[in-house]
Amino acid sequence: MMLIILAVIMLASFQGCVRKPVSDQVDNRVEEARPEETETEETKPDDTEVTLPEYKFTCPLDGIGIDEMPIRPVAVTIDNYRGARPQSGLDKADIVYEVPVEGGITRYLAMFFHGQADVIGPVRSARPYLIDISREWDAVYIHAGQSPQAQTYFKNTKVAHINEMFHSSGFWRDKSRKAPHNLYSSTDNLWREIEKLGLDKVSIPEGFEFRDEGEELSGAEAAELSLPYSYGKVGYSYDEQTETYKRFLNGNPYNDLASGVQLSAANVLVQQVAVRAFDSEGRLEVDLIGEGKAWLFSEGRVIEGTWRKDAVTERTRFYDETGVLMRLKTGQTWIQLVPSRVQISY
C-alpha cells in the first residue's frame, strides 16, 4: 500500500514540472480571472517607455524617417479638369504642387521620392513651368504629350522625362472614364520605364528644413484657409486630431479616388506668382524666377514671408519676415501657386 502512495506522489510531482504551451497558459489565466478581482502590481500594464524605431535616413522632401534612400524623385503631371476628379495617388506623394494652367483650371505636379502608389493619375500633358518645378528637384518628369512651348523646351534643353505617347508600356487607360482624362500609371510601372531608359541616376535633392518634434510654429492662429481659383474655391481646415489641414473643394471634402481618404497636408505653402496668358489658346507663362509673397500654414497657425528662386535648377526657398528659412512640420506638403491678383483668406 505504501508503494502505491509513493508512486502517486511521484507522478503528480512529474506532471507539475512539465512546461505547458503558451496558449494553454494564456487560456488558464483568462479562465482564472474574476471580474471582481482588483488589479495587483503583477497585473498592471508595463510602464516601460516605448522605443521609437530608429531610421538610417530622413526624406528631404517630407522629413519622414526611412531605412533606405531612394534613387531620385519622380514628378507626375496630374489632370485637374472636372472629368478627371477625383484623382488617384495624390495622398501617397511626398509633395503636391497645384499650378494654374489655361482655361481657368489647374494641374497638379505630384512628387514621389519614397512615397509609392499603385494608381497615379489621370496623367496629362507638359507645360514649361511644370518642367521647371520638376528640374529644381532633379526629378524624372512624367507626362502625356505637351504644349508647343513644352515641345520646344524638350528639344532645346536636356531634361529627364518620359512621354507616354512614346513610352506607353508603363501606362494604362481606365475604360470607366472618358479620354483624355483616363490615363494612369503607378510608381512601380514608372520605375520599370525609368530603369529601361537609363534615367535611374542617383540624385538626392536638397530638401526642406523641418521642425524638431514638439517645436511649435510661431504665428497667428489660422484654422481655415481659402484659395479662390477660377475653377472653384480650394479650402483647408485644420484638424487637431491628425494635426493636418483637410482639403476641400467648394466646401466639400476632397477625397483620393484610389484610397477613399480625404486629402490632407501637414503643411500648406502658398506661393504668389505672376501669371499671364500669351496666346489665343490662353496658355500661360508663370514666373518662377525672382521673388514674391508666401505663407506657411502648419499646426493651425500661419506665418507670412517671401519665396525666392535665382535660377531654373535652383530650389525655391521660403523665408519668414525676418529672412530666416521656414521650417516645416514632418509630413506631406501642398504648395499652392496662386496668381498675384488672387486674395487668399484665413
Side-chain angles (χ1 to χ4, degrees):
M1 184 69 177
M2 183 62 69
L3 290 175
I4 294 174
I5 293 172
L6 287 173
V8 170
I9 292 173
M10 289 177 66
L11 179 60
S13 300
F14 175 74
Q15 289 178 337
C17 294
V18 174
R19 181 169 182 159
K20 296 180 180 180
V22 174
S23 58
D24 290 344
Q25 295 175 25
V26 172
D27 289 342
N28 286 341
R29 284 198 296 269
V30 171
E31 291 172 1
E32 293 167 4
R34 297 288 185 272
E36 66 273 14
E37 288 177 350
T38 57
E39 189 180 57
T40 65
E41 288 297 321
E42 293 181 357
T43 61
K44 284 183 180 179
D46 188 3
D47 292 331
T48 306
E49 291 185 4
V50 176
T51 304
L52 295 176
E54 293 185 3
Y55 296 98
K56 295 180 181 179
F57 306 100
T58 299
C59 175
L61 278 70
D62 63 7
I64 299 293
I66 51 179
D67 287 323
E68 184 177 354
M69 188 64 77
I71 295 173
R72 70 185 300 186
V74 178
V76 187
T77 306
I78 306 291
D79 194 355
N80 194 28
Y81 187 72
R82 63 177 175 268
R85 302 181 203 131
Q87 294 84 359
S88 299
L90 293 176
D91 60 328
K92 302 295 192 300
D94 303 319
I95 302 173
V96 181
Y97 289 83
E98 182 168 14
V99 187
V101 292
E102 66 277 1
I105 59 172
T106 64
R107 284 200 179 151
Y108 300 122
L109 189 67
M111 199 75 60
F112 295 89
F113 192 46
H114 74 87
Q116 299 181 28
D118 293 332
V119 186
I120 304 171
V123 180
R124 281 306 299 273
S125 56
R127 297 293 180 270
Y129 43 90
L130 295 173
I131 304 170
D132 285 344
I133 295 172
S134 175
R135 287 182 69 197
E136 76 172 69
W137 293 97
D138 197 21
V140 179
Y141 179 59
I142 310 298
H143 61 106
Q146 60 272 311
S147 67
Q149 295 74 26
Q151 187 172 15
T152 301
Y153 193 136
F154 288 130
K155 285 181 179 178
N156 296 336
T157 309
K158 188 176 181 180
V159 177
H161 72 108
I162 295 177
N163 185 351
E164 180 273 340
M165 296 182 71
F166 300 102
H167 304 281
S168 60
S169 60
F171 303 81
W172 70 87
R173 294 276 177 183
D174 183 345
K175 294 181 180 178
S176 69
R177 286 190 165 187
K178 292 183 179 179
H181 316 292
N182 65 346
L183 181 67
Y184 293 86
S185 189
S186 67
T187 47
D188 283 348
N189 280 20
L190 292 175
W191 268 103
R192 279 194 288 271
E193 292 301 305
I194 289 169
E195 291 169 354
K196 187 193 304 180
L197 296 172
L199 300 175
D200 54 337
K201 73 164 190 176
V202 176
S203 181
I204 312 303
E206 179 189 357
F208 294 110
E209 291 188 5
F210 295 92
R211 299 193 296 276
D212 296 328
E213 188 175 350
E215 180 184 351
E216 295 183 355
L217 182 74
S218 60
E221 291 188 6
E224 306 288 334
L225 165 63
S226 180
L227 301 167
Y229 286 100
S230 298
Y231 76 92
K233 185 181 289 184
V234 171
Y236 288 94
S237 181
Y238 185 64
D239 180 14
E240 292 187 358
Q241 186 174 0
T242 61
E243 297 184 347
T244 62
Y245 281 90
K246 301 289 188 181
R247 184 177 170 89
F248 295 81
L249 179 60
N250 296 325
N252 299 312
Y254 203 89
N255 299 338
D256 185 89
L257 178 63
S259 66
V261 228
Q262 184 175 1
L263 298 177
S264 62
N267 313 283
V268 180
L269 277 167
V270 180
Q271 181 180 355
Q272 202 172 62
V273 292
V275 176
R276 57 190 168 274
F278 67 88
D279 68 5
S280 58
E281 299 294 328
R283 294 189 181 94
L284 305 179
E285 289 180 347
V286 179
D287 287 343
L288 299 176
I289 307 294
E291 59 181 43
K293 291 183 179 179
W295 294 259
L296 168 61
F297 294 84
S298 186
E299 296 184 326
R301 295 185 172 274
V302 60
I303 56 173
E304 298 186 26
T306 58
W307 64 268
R308 189 162 66 244
K309 180 180 171 75
D310 298 325
V312 173
T313 54
E314 288 190 13
R315 283 283 322 290
T316 303
R317 303 187 187 282
F318 297 87
Y319 301 90
D320 65 20
E321 292 179 313
T322 68
V324 175
L325 275 172
M326 293 179 178
R327 289 158 59 85
L328 307 186
K329 177 181 173 62
T330 296
Q332 189 186 62
T333 295
W334 277 68
I335 301 179
Q336 303 282 158
L337 276 70
V338 297
S340 300
R341 66 179 181 275
V342 170
Q343 295 296 317
I344 72 168
S345 57
Y346 56 88

